[in-house]
Amino acid sequence: EAHLVESGGGLVQPGGSLRLSCAVSGFTFRSFAMSWVRQAPGKGPEYVSAISADGATTYYADSVKGRFTISRDNSENALFLQMNGLRADDTAVYFCARSDFGFYDYWGQGTLVTVSS
Amino acid sequence: EIVLTQSPGTLSLSPGERATLSCRASQTLTTTFFAWYQQKPGQAPRLLIHGVSNRATGVPDRFSGSGSGTDFTLTINRLEPEDFAVYYCQQYDTSPKTFGQGTKVEIK
């Protein structure tokens, strides 16, 4: 059974940085594309970033391009999101999810990122 | 970007009734790359339907999806107590992938 566990969220001031991690087990991590999806309070989910199975190709929503960097370590079954230049509108629960086919079939429980002074 | 508009915002129904949820896309989808998710409070979204009408593993057959072009529907036959939740549609036809704003199915 797939198991995804995010960590690294917290309270950060505007302009600050955070690094999110997602530990994955239960499937062959290195064979699947992965994504980060966020959900602001009371809103629908929003695609943030995706990475190919081998890590060679990355994709970003326009809203985070140039500020966020997605990466993965296939030897450690781990996914990461480095977030710099954080803004108040980045406040959300951040989920990692398997996204090999375009839809998201396995999700973590999420980690809350709050950007506030 | 394709905007997905879900209706109604809230659906008040009793257990055993049928729920019909709609999702309209701002542009025509040329593929069947369309999905539905269920979300309960404090939980991650759960994939229900992908490819417009394909149930995900373990999803009961009272859930069904249909549609094409700009109009898509999720039908839940004979609502069970555990089906009361928020439902989101998602298109993965065109980048960026986008979600609707959700329909809440609540107990009447």
Side-chain angles (χ1 to χ4, degrees):
Chain A
E1 182 181 341
H3 196 51
L4 295 78
V5 180
E6 301 91 340
S7 60
L11 174 63
V12 62
Q13 292 188 337
S17 299
L18 279 177
R19 179 176 168 86
L20 305 184
S21 300
C22 175
V24 174
S25 60
F27 63 89
T28 307
F29 179 71
R30 65 179 181 273
S31 297
F32 292 90
M34 297 292 296
S35 293
W36 288 96
V37 178
R38 68 186 180 185
Q39 188 170 28
K43 303 293 186 182
E46 177 192 17
Y47 156 76
V48 173
S49 182
I51 188 167
S52 60
D54 64 1
T57 308
T58 57
Y59 309 86
Y60 299 95
D62 287 346
S63 58
V64 307
K65 202 171 294 182
R67 300 187 299 123
F68 290 11
T69 302
I70 191 171
S71 61
R72 64 190 295 162
D73 183 339
N74 284 348
S75 67
E76 295 290 333
N77 289 355
L79 178 71
F80 305 100
L81 186 68
Q82 177 67 43
M83 305 187 295
N84 299 330
L86 283 161
R87 311 185 304 219
D89 62 358
D90 294 318
T91 294
V93 175
Y94 284 72
F95 299 96
C96 62
R98 195 174 82 168
S99 57
D100 206 55
F101 306 104
F103 53 87
Y104 305 100
D105 54 356
Y106 294 117
W107 298 64
Q109 86 290 347
T111 187
L112 176 62
V113 172
T114 303
V115 184
S116 175
S117 54
Chain B
E1 155 174 329
I2 295 179
V3 176
L4 299 178
T5 302
Q6 293 187 240
S7 60
T10 302
L11 202 49
S12 298
L13 295 168
S14 300
E17 291 192 296
R18 171 184 293 178
T20 303
L21 287 67
S22 295
C23 183
R24 175 162 289 177
S26 61
Q27 300 170 224
T28 299
L29 273 60
T30 58
T31 68
T32 58
F33 294 167
F34 194 87
W36 290 93
Y37 300 82
Q38 176 193 68
Q39 188 176 34
K40 297 179 180 179
Q43 296 184 15
R46 170 198 178 197
L47 177 69
L48 295 176
I49 301 285
H50 62 89
V52 174
S53 60
N54 300 296
R55 279 186 299 276
T57 303
V59 174
D61 61 7
R62 64 180 180 273
F63 290 90
S64 63
S66 63
S68 65
T70 61
D71 293 296
F72 299 86
T73 300
L74 175 70
T75 302
I76 312 170
N77 286 310
R78 303 179 308 279
L79 280 163
E80 296 285 344
E82 62 267 27
D83 299 336
F84 292 91
V86 180
Y87 292 83
Y88 294 99
C89 56
Q90 180 225 345
Q91 66 81 22
Y92 47 106
D93 174 278
T94 302
S95 290
K97 302 169 194 173
T98 51
F99 291 85
Q101 84 284 7
T103 290
K104 181 179 183 180
V105 179
E106 65 175 22
I107 299 177
K108 187 175 181 180

